[in-house]
Amino acid sequence: MALERGTRLGPYQIESPIGAGGMGEVYKATDTRLERTVAIKVLPAHVASDPERKARFEREAKVISGLNHPHICTLYEFDNHDGTDFLVMEYLEGETLAERLQKGALPLDQALRYAIEIADALDKAHRQGVTHRDLKPANIMLTKAGAKLLDFGLAKLTPTAPQSDASTKLADALTEQGTILGTFQYMAPEQLEGGEADHRTDIWAFGCVVYEMVTGQKAFEGKTQASLIGAILKDEPRTMSSLQPMSPYSLDQIVQVCLAKDADERWQSAGDIGRQLKLAAETGTVHSAAAPTRILDPGLPGWRQAVPLTLTVSLVVGAITGVSVWTFLTPEPRPVTRTSIVLPRTQQGSGRVAISPTGSHVVYTVGSVVGRDPLGSGLVQDGPQRSNQGLYLRPLDELQAEWLQATEGRVAWNPFFSPDGQWIAFFSMRDNALQKIAISGGSAVTVAAVFASNGGTWAADDTIVFAQDGQGILRVAARGGTPELIVPVERPAVAQRPQLLPGEEVVLYTRAESEALWGSAQILAEHLGTGQRTVLVEGGSDARYVPTGHLVYALGGTLMAVPFDAERIEVTGGPVPVVEGVRSVGGGAMSADISPAGTLVYTPGRAGYETRALVWVDRTGREEPLDFAPAEYNTPRVSPDGTRVAVTQTGPEGTDIWILDLARGSATKLTADVFTEANPLWTTDGAGVVYGSFGVDEGMGLFLKSADGTGDSQRLMTASDETVVIGPSSWSPNGEHPAFWSVGAGAADIGLLSLNGNGTPEALLASSFGEQVPAISPDGRWMAYESNETGRVEVYVQRFPELGQRVAVSTGGGRQPLWSADGRELFYRTPRGVVVTPVELAPTFKAGVPEVLFDDQYFFYLSRRTWDVTPDGERFLVLKPTEADADDPFAGLTRIHVVQNWLTELERLVPTP
C-alpha cells in the first residue's frame, strides 16, 4: 500500500509519490530536522518478505554510501521504521533521460556533456569496485546541475560474482512486466548468455545510452524478446551518423568500441572514455605533431587499436573533407590529424588501398562476401553475397562507403585514381584486363587486356603505366588501346607498381629477381629516352615519389623515406622509418597510398609472417599439437600412410613445399628454387608430391617431385597465358588423373590431367560460376566440390568422370569437402563448425543427415584447402593461428588509417637538403 501524504518515517515526512519500480517506491519527503527536501525509497512489504530482494535493497545502500561523486545521487541514510526499510537520498529536480528521450534525440552538445558526466560517474563507481549492471536512461536523472546516476539495486560490489547472479537477473527480466524495455535493450551479450558481468558490462550499456541520446533511437530493437536478444548477440547497429548527420565521426568510433560483442575488445575503463569524450568536445580535432611515428600496434586488443590513448589516432570530430582546400589555399601549415575508417562487418578489406589526388576519396577492395564467419575467412553464409573481390569507394566527408556494383565478381585488384580523381583504374583477375570505372558509378570499361599485373599509376598525360608479369613496364592510353612496352623485364625477374616522375621521361619502379625475392628487390629509375638505369634503393619495394622531394617505400612492414632529387635522379640522404606496422599484401606491396595533397592512407598490420601451429583435432574437438614450431603454414596434406605431412611454408626465402616426418619429428624442404610452390598433393602411393608453381622457365603449371627430394621436378602441365593454376586437389583411384582447379577468364574452374598424356588438361567444370577444391570419391565414381552458383558457397557432389547426376550436400554454406577413406562419410567446413554427412555411393549417391563434430575456429583461406583428414577418418589436420594472430587471422584488414597533412610530418622527420 502506498504511503499517504503526512506519513512519518522517523524524522522524515512523506509529501508525495515520485515513482515506483520492482525494487521500491520513491517519495518526495521533508527532513524535519534539517528542513530540506529529500527522496525516500521504501522497500514495500511484499518485496521485504523476499530475502533476495531485501538483500539487494540493503546492497544498494552499502554501494551508494561508498560513492561520493557530483553525478551520482547522494545517499544520506539507510534506516528502518516500524519494520519498513527505506533509503534517504538526495532529492533531484528534473526528468529522467528516458522521459527526455520520449521527445527525441538530444542536441549534440548536451549529449556529449551528459555522456562525459555519466562516464565520470561510472569511473568513480568502477574504481570503488562497483559495477552498476542496470545502466539505462530510466536510471539517469537530468537536472540543472547535470546528469545523475541512480539505482544501484543490481550493483555488484566485487570484481567477480557468481554466474547465477547474471542468470537470476535475466530470469527476473523475463518474468517481471515492463523490464524488457528498461533493461533488456541495454544488456551486454555476456549478460544475456548468463555469463559474469563486470565493469565492461556497464561500458556496453553506456554505449547504448549514448547512441540513444544522439540518435533518438535504440541501438538494438526487436519485436519480441527473442528477436531483441538475437539482435544484441549478432547484429551491428547503424552508424550514428547515418541517423544523425551532425554526429561526429569520433563519437561513432567511441560508441562502436563500447558495443564490441567481446568484452575484451571494448574500452577497458570508463575514465578512458571520459577523457576521449572531453577531447572530442573541447578540440574538435586532434593535433599530433609530437606523436610517435608508430601509429598502432596491431597486436593490441581492439579497444586499444581503435582509439589509442597516447596517440588519439581515431578521434577526429571535424569532417575530413577539404584536404585540397587546406593544402593549397591556407598560408599556414595545417596540423597533422589522424583518424581511422573502421570497416563494418559487412565488408572485409583486402589488397591495396588508394587515396584520390585531392585526398577526398578512398577506394579499397573487399573480399569474397559481405561479412565474416567463424571460419575466419571473411565468408558469410546467411546473407547477400559479394562474389570475389570488388571495390568500395569512401568519400571522406561521409560516413558510408559506396559499393561500386559494376566491379562485383571481377576480382578487382590494385586500384588507383586518375589525376583529376574522377576515375578509378583497377586490374580484373576475372577478365584479365586493366579496367576503369567512374567514381559516380556506372559500368566498368576495359582499357587493355592485362594478365597478372603488379600494379600501376595514371600519369598526367592521361596514360596508364603498369607492370606486366613476363614482360615488364607497359604504357597504354587511358581511353584504351594496345599497351606499349617501355621497360622490358624478362622472367624470372618481375617488376612492380611503376610511376612516371615529373617530366614523364623517367619511370620509377621496383624490380625483383623473382616473385619470391622481394626482400632483396631494387628500386630503380629508368630514363625512357636513353635507357639509362639508376639503382636508387637496395632492399626496398613499392616506392612512391611525393612532391616534398622524397621517395617513400616499403621495407619489412615499415614505410621508409629518403630525400630524393627528381631532376638529378639521385637519393640525397639516408633512409628513415616513418610509419611502422603497415600491412603487406604480397608481392612486396604495402597496403598504403599517399595523395599529392598530403594525405596518407594505410591498413595496419603486424610486420613479418603470420604464424600458425599444425594441430590434430579429433571428432570431439580435442586438440593435439604436432611437434613442429609454428610458421606461416598453409595447405597441409597427410600422406596416404599417415606418417608424413606435406605442407606449404612461407618464409624469407619464399614459399616452398616441406615434408614433415611425424615419427622422427624432422622437416625437409622439398622445393628450393626462387619460385612460389604451393598446394601439395601426395601421389596415391606416397612416393611423390604434385604441386602448383610459377614454374622454372615456362610460367605457371603443375609439377611432380619425388617425396624424398631426389631428382628434378617434372613439369606435368603448363598453364595458358590466361589462366592462374591454383593447385592440385585430388586423384582418380588409379592414380593417373590429378584433379586441379584454376582461375581463368570466366571464374574458378575444375580440370583433370592425365599423367600419361601430353600435358594438356581436360576441363571438367567450367562455367561463369566459381567451382573449386575438387575431391574425388574413393571409388572414383563421384566428385565433391564447392560452388557459388546460388550466390552462396555450398558443397556439391557430381558423378565422375562423366558428369551427370548432381546433389547439393550442404545447406547454409559449406566449403573444402573431404572424403573418408572408405567413402562412407563426407566432411566439410561450415559456419556452424566441421560437419560430417554419412553418404552412400552405390547404386547412386545419397546424403544422410549432417552432424556438427566441433566448432571451426581454425585458419581458413579463400582459394586453398587448408585442412586434411587422416586415413582412418578419426583426426583432422588443421592450422591454428598462434596467440599473436588468434583473434583474427586477417587482423588489420578491418580498418584503414587516414593521416591528413602527413607530408608536413614527413618533412619534419626526413629533412631534405
Side-chain angles (χ1 to χ4, degrees):
M1 182 177 296
L3 299 180
E4 297 180 355
R5 177 182 174 86
T7 301
R8 297 287 291 262
L9 295 175
Y12 305 102
Q13 180 172 302
I14 301 298
E15 300 294 339
S16 60
I18 297 176
M23 285 302 299
E25 301 162 351
V26 184
Y27 298 85
K28 179 180 179 181
T30 299
D31 182 345
T32 58
R33 296 170 304 179
L34 300 177
E35 297 183 353
R36 64 177 176 183
T37 302
V38 296
I40 301 286
K41 185 173 184 178
V42 176
L43 187 63
H46 73 280
V47 176
S49 62
D50 184 337
E52 181 177 341
R53 293 190 176 186
K54 184 172 182 178
R56 288 184 183 179
F57 191 80
E58 294 174 352
R59 177 170 57 192
E60 181 180 12
K62 295 176 182 178
V63 168
I64 303 178
S65 66
L67 299 176
N68 182 17
H69 189 275
H71 298 294
I72 295 177
C73 183
T74 304
L75 175 69
Y76 296 143
E77 188 176 6
F78 173 49
D79 206 351
N80 180 283
H81 179 78
D82 294 337
T84 299
D85 293 309
F86 61 95
L87 304 177
V88 182
M89 298 177 294
E90 175 185 12
Y91 178 77
L92 302 174
E93 291 186 342
E95 60 182 350
T96 66
L97 178 57
E99 292 169 338
R100 169 59 184 83
L101 286 171
Q102 291 178 3
K103 307 171 188 176
L106 278 65
L108 186 58
D109 58 345
Q110 287 186 18
L112 275 170
R113 178 165 64 92
Y114 291 146
I116 292 169
E117 293 169 350
I118 298 166
D120 286 344
L122 285 176
D123 184 52
K124 173 67 174 182
H126 294 167
R127 289 175 182 274
Q128 297 292 108
V130 176
T131 301
H132 191 284
R133 295 201 299 180
D134 197 25
L135 180 63
K136 56 187 178 183
N139 286 337
I140 298 168
M141 181 69 76
L142 304 182
T143 72
K144 292 181 179 180
K148 292 274 190 174
L149 193 53
L150 313 174
D151 201 345
F152 283 76
L154 295 178
K156 185 169 65 173
L157 293 171
T158 58
T160 60
Q163 185 171 335
S164 59
D165 278 3
S167 302
T168 299
K169 180 180 177 183
L170 178 57
D172 288 346
L174 287 168
T175 57
E176 290 182 14
Q177 184 178 3
T179 55
I180 184 169
L181 294 179
T183 299
F184 251 15
Q185 286 169 307
Y186 310 94
M187 291 175 75
E190 61 266 27
Q191 287 179 290
L192 292 174
E193 293 174 334
E196 294 185 359
D198 60 18
H199 63 283
R200 296 170 301 180
T201 303
D202 285 350
I203 288 173
W204 169 282
F206 175 81
C208 293
V209 169
V210 175
Y211 186 100
E212 194 169 349
M213 283 197 296
V214 173
T215 67
Q217 298 185 24
K218 291 180 172 60
F220 302 95
E221 296 191 86
K223 294 181 179 180
T224 65
Q225 294 176 355
S227 62
L228 176 58
I229 292 173
I232 293 172
L233 295 178
K234 297 189 303 181
D235 297 343
E236 297 292 337
R238 293 176 60 185
T239 60
M240 294 192 300
S241 58
S242 67
L243 301 172
Q244 170 53 268
M246 295 304 293
S247 172
Y249 178 64
S250 59
L251 198 54
D252 254 335
Q253 291 283 84
I254 295 170
V255 172
Q256 185 173 10
V257 178
C258 289
L259 297 180
K261 306 295 185 187
D262 185 346
D264 290 336
E265 295 297 312
R266 292 177 209 149
W267 293 92
Q268 303 295 290
S269 162
D272 291 344
I273 303 175
R275 282 185 287 275
Q276 300 304 326
L277 288 169
K278 291 173 185 176
L279 177 64
E282 293 170 0
T283 67
T285 189
V286 178
H287 296 256
S288 54
T293 300
R294 184 174 181 86
I295 307 303
L296 289 180
D297 182 355
L300 296 175
W303 61 274
R304 294 181 64 188
Q305 289 190 39
V307 192
L309 300 178
T310 57
L311 302 179
T312 57
V313 175
S314 55
L315 293 179
V316 181
V317 176
I320 304 177
T321 188
V323 175
S324 59
V325 175
W326 292 126
T327 304
F328 298 115
L329 299 183
T330 306
E332 294 296 326
R334 298 294 301 172
V336 178
T337 61
R338 292 180 166 91
T339 189
S340 291
I341 298 173
V342 178
L343 305 188
R345 293 193 178 188
T346 54
Q347 301 169 24
Q348 175 198 328
S350 61
R352 281 195 178 105
V353 61
I355 182 77
S356 65
T358 61
S360 60
H361 291 75
V362 170
V363 65
Y364 53 93
T365 56
V366 295
S368 290
V369 293
V370 296
R372 309 182 67 79
D373 73 6
L375 301 183
S377 66
L379 299 178
V380 136
Q381 309 291 348
D382 57 356
Q385 178 170 323
R386 304 291 193 206
S387 57
N388 300 319
Q389 280 94 344
L391 299 178
Y392 267 91
L393 179 67
R394 169 71 177 268
L396 291 184
D397 60 351
E398 298 180 9
L399 269 294
Q400 299 293 326
E402 176 187 357
W403 171 250
L404 297 178
Q405 189 171 0
T407 67
E408 181 173 352
R410 296 183 182 273
V411 196
W413 205 250
N414 290 336
F416 51 95
F417 283 89
S418 62
D420 62 4
Q422 297 304 303
W423 290 85
I424 300 166
F426 63 94
F427 298 93
S428 169
M429 291 181 63
R430 189 199 74 177
D431 300 324
N432 288 328
L434 167 62
Q435 299 180 326
K436 65 180 181 179
I437 186 171
I439 64 170
S440 58
S443 301
V445 179
T446 295
V447 176
V450 176
F451 177 74
S453 174
N454 281 324
T457 55
W458 198 316
D461 65 353
D462 206 32
T463 63
I464 294 174
V465 293
F466 61 93
Q468 166 76 67
D469 278 0
Q471 295 186 51
I473 308 300
L474 293 88
R475 177 164 56 186
V476 65
R479 64 180 179 275
T482 302
E484 169 197 5
L485 181 65
I486 57 176
V487 178
V489 178
E490 297 181 355
R491 279 181 173 171
V494 288
Q496 178 199 68
R497 205 185 193 190
Q499 177 189 15
L500 290 177
L501 294 177
E504 303 192 349
E505 295 181 345
V506 177
V507 63
L508 176 74
Y509 66 101
T510 303
R511 183 183 187 277
E513 289 303 313
S514 80
E515 287 282 357
L517 297 176
W518 288 107
S520 58
Q522 295 177 321
I523 297 172
L524 306 170
E526 185 156 337
H527 195 286
L528 298 179
T530 66
Q532 180 180 355
R533 181 178 297 176
T534 305
V535 178
L536 302 176
V537 176
E538 295 274 5
S541 62
D542 208 6
R544 311 304 299 153
Y545 171 76
V546 294
T548 53
H550 295 87
L551 291 183
V552 180
Y553 62 94
L555 181 64
T558 298
L559 289 185
M560 307 290 292
V562 293
F564 177 67
D565 189 324
E567 293 185 2
R568 298 167 58 188
I569 315 298
E570 67 177 19
V571 172
T572 58
V576 176
V578 289
V579 180
E580 297 180 5
V582 181
R583 189 172 185 84
S584 170
V585 291
M590 304 300 285
S591 183
D593 196 20
I594 308 162
S595 76
T599 300
L600 165 70
V601 293
Y602 69 97
T603 58
R606 185 170 52 85
Y609 299 98
E610 294 175 348
T611 53
R612 308 166 195 129
L614 290 158
V615 177
W616 293 117
V617 182
D618 66 18
R619 287 175 173 249
T620 67
R622 185 177 64 86
E623 295 182 358
E624 179 186 348
L626 278 67
D627 192 20
F628 295 93
E632 187 163 327
Y633 295 123
N634 209 335
T635 61
R637 303 301 293 266
V638 181
S639 64
D641 62 3
T643 63
R644 292 166 295 168
V645 170
V647 65
T648 302
Q649 182 176 336
T650 299
E653 298 179 357
T655 299
D656 293 290
I657 307 299
W658 289 69
I659 303 297
L660 311 181
D661 189 311
L662 301 182
R664 298 172 53 200
S666 62
T668 305
K669 184 186 289 188
L670 183 67
T671 61
D673 54 41
V674 297
F675 297 91
T676 297
E677 290 88 12
N679 293 291
L681 173 67
W682 292 94
T683 56
T684 54
D685 60 5
V689 174
V690 178
Y691 59 90
S693 173
F694 282 100
V696 177
D697 54 15
E698 299 179 24
M700 302 178 187
L702 295 181
F703 292 77
L704 170 65
K705 187 166 185 176
S706 174
D708 62 10
T710 60
D712 295 331
S713 297
Q714 174 190 353
R715 179 182 285 273
L716 301 180
M717 64 162 283
T718 299
S720 67
D721 289 341
E722 295 79 26
T723 303
V724 178
V725 174
I726 302 299
S729 181
S730 184
W731 287 97
S732 60
N734 60 13
E736 296 181 357
H737 300 281
F740 66 95
W741 76 99
S742 60
V743 175
D749 299 317
I750 294 174
L752 192 66
L753 181 68
S754 173
L755 297 187
N756 300 322
N758 59 6
T760 301
E762 171 191 353
L764 273 180
L765 283 176
S767 71
S768 59
F769 304 110
E771 295 99 3
Q772 58 184 12
V773 199
I776 300 172
S777 64
D779 67 355
R781 299 179 59 200
W782 304 94
M783 180 177 69
Y785 62 96
E786 61 179 55
S787 173
N788 66 354
E789 62 184 82
T790 64
R792 182 168 57 194
V793 180
E794 301 282 9
V795 171
Y796 296 84
V797 169
Q798 185 153 193
R799 188 174 293 279
F800 175 87
E802 294 183 0
L803 303 182
Q805 177 191 358
R806 190 184 64 151
V807 177
V809 177
S810 66
T811 58
R815 302 200 67 120
Q816 300 188 356
L818 296 171
W819 296 95
S820 63
D822 59 11
R824 296 179 179 178
E825 294 178 313
L826 188 63
F827 309 100
Y828 50 92
R829 304 175 73 170
T830 79
R832 296 173 295 152
V834 167
V835 169
V836 59
T837 296
V839 298
E840 296 179 12
L841 302 183
T844 186
F845 178 83
K846 293 182 180 179
V849 178
E851 174 190 356
V852 177
L853 295 179
F854 54 86
D855 290 340
D856 189 353
Q857 298 293 336
Y858 302 102
F859 177 76
F860 185 95
Y861 199 83
L862 294 175
S863 58
R864 303 287 188 272
R865 203 183 89 176
T866 51
W867 70 320
D868 205 1
V869 62
T870 54
D872 62 6
E874 294 300 317
R875 294 195 299 177
F876 303 89
L877 183 59
V878 298
L879 301 171
K880 184 176 183 178
T882 54
E883 185 175 351
D885 298 310
D887 289 339
D888 183 359
F890 289 83
L893 298 179
T894 57
R895 66 183 67 248
I896 298 169
H897 293 328
V898 180
V899 188
Q900 285 184 269
N901 307 303
W902 181 72
L903 294 182
T904 300
E905 182 171 274
L906 177 62
E907 290 180 300
R908 177 177 59 82
L909 293 170
V910 190
T912 55

mmCIF file with all atom_site columns, all heavy atoms in Angstrom, residues 100 184 372 405 434 552 790 825:
data_model
loop_
_atom_site.group_PDB
_atom_site.id
_atom_site.type_symbol
_atom_site.label_atom_id
_atom_site.label_alt_id
_atom_site.label_comp_id
_atom_site.label_asym_id
_atom_site.label_entity_id
_atom_site.label_seq_id
_atom_site.pdbx_PDB_ins_code
_atom_site.Cartn_x
_atom_site.Cartn_y
_atom_site.Cartn_z
_atom_site.occupancy
_atom_site.B_iso_or_equiv
_atom_site.pdbx_formal_charge
_atom_site.auth_seq_id
_atom_site.auth_comp_id
_atom_site.auth_asym_id
_atom_site.auth_atom_id
_atom_site.pdbx_PDB_model_num
ATOM 1  N N   . ARG A 1 100 ? 13.098 12.273  -21.130 1.00 0.00 ? 100 ARG A N   1
ATOM 2  C CA  . ARG A 1 100 ? 13.569 13.264  -22.110 1.00 0.00 ? 100 ARG A CA  1
ATOM 3  C C   . ARG A 1 100 ? 13.628 12.664  -23.519 1.00 0.00 ? 100 ARG A C   1
ATOM 4  O O   . ARG A 1 100 ? 13.289 13.334  -24.506 1.00 0.00 ? 100 ARG A O   1
ATOM 5  C CB  . ARG A 1 100 ? 14.954 13.776  -21.685 1.00 0.00 ? 100 ARG A CB  1
ATOM 6  C CG  . ARG A 1 100 ? 15.685 14.614  -22.734 1.00 0.00 ? 100 ARG A CG  1
ATOM 7  C CD  . ARG A 1 100 ? 14.887 15.850  -23.137 1.00 0.00 ? 100 ARG A CD  1
ATOM 8  N NE  . ARG A 1 100 ? 15.528 16.589  -24.204 1.00 0.00 ? 100 ARG A NE  1
ATOM 9  C CZ  . ARG A 1 100 ? 15.425 16.294  -25.490 1.00 0.00 ? 100 ARG A CZ  1
ATOM 10 N NH1 . ARG A 1 100 ? 14.667 15.273  -25.874 1.00 0.00 ? 100 ARG A NH1 1
ATOM 11 N NH2 . ARG A 1 100 ? 16.047 17.014  -26.400 1.00 0.00 ? 100 ARG A NH2 1
ATOM 12 N N   . PHE A 1 184 ? 16.496 -4.986  -20.898 1.00 0.00 ? 184 PHE A N   1
ATOM 13 C CA  . PHE A 1 184 ? 16.987 -5.856  -21.964 1.00 0.00 ? 184 PHE A CA  1
ATOM 14 C C   . PHE A 1 184 ? 17.792 -5.108  -23.009 1.00 0.00 ? 184 PHE A C   1
ATOM 15 O O   . PHE A 1 184 ? 18.840 -5.560  -23.447 1.00 0.00 ? 184 PHE A O   1
ATOM 16 C CB  . PHE A 1 184 ? 15.792 -6.522  -22.651 1.00 0.00 ? 184 PHE A CB  1
ATOM 17 C CG  . PHE A 1 184 ? 15.676 -7.983  -22.347 1.00 0.00 ? 184 PHE A CG  1
ATOM 18 C CD1 . PHE A 1 184 ? 16.379 -8.545  -21.298 1.00 0.00 ? 184 PHE A CD1 1
ATOM 19 C CD2 . PHE A 1 184 ? 14.869 -8.787  -23.107 1.00 0.00 ? 184 PHE A CD2 1
ATOM 20 C CE1 . PHE A 1 184 ? 16.270 -9.866  -21.014 1.00 0.00 ? 184 PHE A CE1 1
ATOM 21 C CE2 . PHE A 1 184 ? 14.753 -10.122 -22.830 1.00 0.00 ? 184 PHE A CE2 1
ATOM 22 C CZ  . PHE A 1 184 ? 15.450 -10.672 -21.774 1.00 0.00 ? 184 PHE A CZ  1
ATOM 23 N N   . ARG A 1 372 ? 31.695 -11.767 -42.151 1.00 0.00 ? 372 ARG A N   1
ATOM 24 C CA  . ARG A 1 372 ? 32.675 -12.691 -41.592 1.00 0.00 ? 372 ARG A CA  1
ATOM 25 C C   . ARG A 1 372 ? 31.944 -13.892 -41.019 1.00 0.00 ? 372 ARG A C   1
ATOM 26 O O   . ARG A 1 372 ? 30.791 -13.823 -40.646 1.00 0.00 ? 372 ARG A O   1
ATOM 27 C CB  . ARG A 1 372 ? 33.479 -12.005 -40.486 1.00 0.00 ? 372 ARG A CB  1
ATOM 28 C CG  . ARG A 1 372 ? 34.068 -10.678 -40.926 1.00 0.00 ? 372 ARG A CG  1
ATOM 29 C CD  . ARG A 1 372 ? 34.893 -10.082 -39.826 1.00 0.00 ? 372 ARG A CD  1
ATOM 30 N NE  . ARG A 1 372 ? 36.065 -10.879 -39.571 1.00 0.00 ? 372 ARG A NE  1
ATOM 31 C CZ  . ARG A 1 372 ? 37.160 -10.849 -40.314 1.00 0.00 ? 372 ARG A CZ  1
ATOM 32 N NH1 . ARG A 1 372 ? 37.214 -10.076 -41.368 1.00 0.00 ? 372 ARG A NH1 1
ATOM 33 N NH2 . ARG A 1 372 ? 38.199 -11.582 -40.021 1.00 0.00 ? 372 ARG A NH2 1
ATOM 34 N N   . GLN A 1 405 ? 29.103 -1.362  -57.821 1.00 0.00 ? 405 GLN A N   1
ATOM 35 C CA  . GLN A 1 405 ? 28.467 -2.628  -58.169 1.00 0.00 ? 405 GLN A CA  1
ATOM 36 C C   . GLN A 1 405 ? 29.044 -3.251  -59.433 1.00 0.00 ? 405 GLN A C   1
ATOM 37 O O   . GLN A 1 405 ? 29.119 -4.479  -59.552 1.00 0.00 ? 405 GLN A O   1
ATOM 38 C CB  . GLN A 1 405 ? 26.960 -2.432  -58.330 1.00 0.00 ? 405 GLN A CB  1
ATOM 39 C CG  . GLN A 1 405 ? 26.180 -3.722  -58.480 1.00 0.00 ? 405 GLN A CG  1
ATOM 40 C CD  . GLN A 1 405 ? 24.686 -3.483  -58.418 1.00 0.00 ? 405 GLN A CD  1
ATOM 41 O OE1 . GLN A 1 405 ? 24.239 -2.358  -58.258 1.00 0.00 ? 405 GLN A OE1 1
ATOM 42 N NE2 . GLN A 1 405 ? 23.912 -4.544  -58.534 1.00 0.00 ? 405 GLN A NE2 1
ATOM 43 N N   . LEU A 1 434 ? 42.936 -4.597  -67.622 1.00 0.00 ? 434 LEU A N   1
ATOM 44 C CA  . LEU A 1 434 ? 43.012 -3.303  -66.936 1.00 0.00 ? 434 LEU A CA  1
ATOM 45 C C   . LEU A 1 434 ? 41.704 -2.590  -67.245 1.00 0.00 ? 434 LEU A C   1
ATOM 46 O O   . LEU A 1 434 ? 41.347 -2.403  -68.402 1.00 0.00 ? 434 LEU A O   1
ATOM 47 C CB  . LEU A 1 434 ? 44.208 -2.510  -67.453 1.00 0.00 ? 434 LEU A CB  1
ATOM 48 C CG  . LEU A 1 434 ? 44.273 -1.021  -67.074 1.00 0.00 ? 434 LEU A CG  1
ATOM 49 C CD1 . LEU A 1 434 ? 44.376 -0.841  -65.573 1.00 0.00 ? 434 LEU A CD1 1
ATOM 50 C CD2 . LEU A 1 434 ? 45.445 -0.352  -67.796 1.00 0.00 ? 434 LEU A CD2 1
ATOM 51 N N   . VAL A 1 552 ? 59.096 7.347   -50.785 1.00 0.00 ? 552 VAL A N   1
ATOM 52 C CA  . VAL A 1 552 ? 58.555 6.564   -49.686 1.00 0.00 ? 552 VAL A CA  1
ATOM 53 C C   . VAL A 1 552 ? 58.396 5.143   -50.199 1.00 0.00 ? 552 VAL A C   1
ATOM 54 O O   . VAL A 1 552 ? 57.834 4.924   -51.280 1.00 0.00 ? 552 VAL A O   1
ATOM 55 C CB  . VAL A 1 552 ? 57.200 7.126   -49.211 1.00 0.00 ? 552 VAL A CB  1
ATOM 56 C CG1 . VAL A 1 552 ? 56.653 6.283   -48.056 1.00 0.00 ? 552 VAL A CG1 1
ATOM 57 C CG2 . VAL A 1 552 ? 57.343 8.579   -48.776 1.00 0.00 ? 552 VAL A CG2 1
ATOM 58 N N   . THR A 1 790 ? 24.644 -20.480 -56.398 1.00 0.00 ? 790 THR A N   1
ATOM 59 C CA  . THR A 1 790 ? 23.397 -19.970 -55.813 1.00 0.00 ? 790 THR A CA  1
ATOM 60 C C   . THR A 1 790 ? 23.593 -18.613 -55.164 1.00 0.00 ? 790 THR A C   1
ATOM 61 O O   . THR A 1 790 ? 22.660 -18.074 -54.574 1.00 0.00 ? 790 THR A O   1
ATOM 62 C CB  . THR A 1 790 ? 22.858 -20.956 -54.760 1.00 0.00 ? 790 THR A CB  1
ATOM 63 O OG1 . THR A 1 790 ? 23.793 -21.043 -53.676 1.00 0.00 ? 790 THR A OG1 1
ATOM 64 C CG2 . THR A 1 790 ? 22.623 -22.328 -55.355 1.00 0.00 ? 790 THR A CG2 1
ATOM 65 N N   . GLU A 1 825 ? 31.680 -41.380 -45.608 1.00 0.00 ? 825 GLU A N   1
ATOM 66 C CA  . GLU A 1 825 ? 31.432 -40.079 -44.977 1.00 0.00 ? 825 GLU A CA  1
ATOM 67 C C   . GLU A 1 825 ? 32.033 -38.973 -45.837 1.00 0.00 ? 825 GLU A C   1
ATOM 68 O O   . GLU A 1 825 ? 33.053 -39.166 -46.514 1.00 0.00 ? 825 GLU A O   1
ATOM 69 C CB  . GLU A 1 825 ? 32.038 -40.018 -43.575 1.00 0.00 ? 825 GLU A CB  1
ATOM 70 C CG  . GLU A 1 825 ? 31.396 -40.958 -42.573 1.00 0.00 ? 825 GLU A CG  1
ATOM 71 C CD  . GLU A 1 825 ? 32.068 -40.887 -41.220 1.00 0.00 ? 825 GLU A CD  1
ATOM 72 O OE1 . GLU A 1 825 ? 33.320 -40.920 -41.186 1.00 0.00 ? 825 GLU A OE1 1
ATOM 73 O OE2 . GLU A 1 825 ? 31.357 -40.802 -40.202 1.00 0.00 ? 825 GLU A OE2 1
#
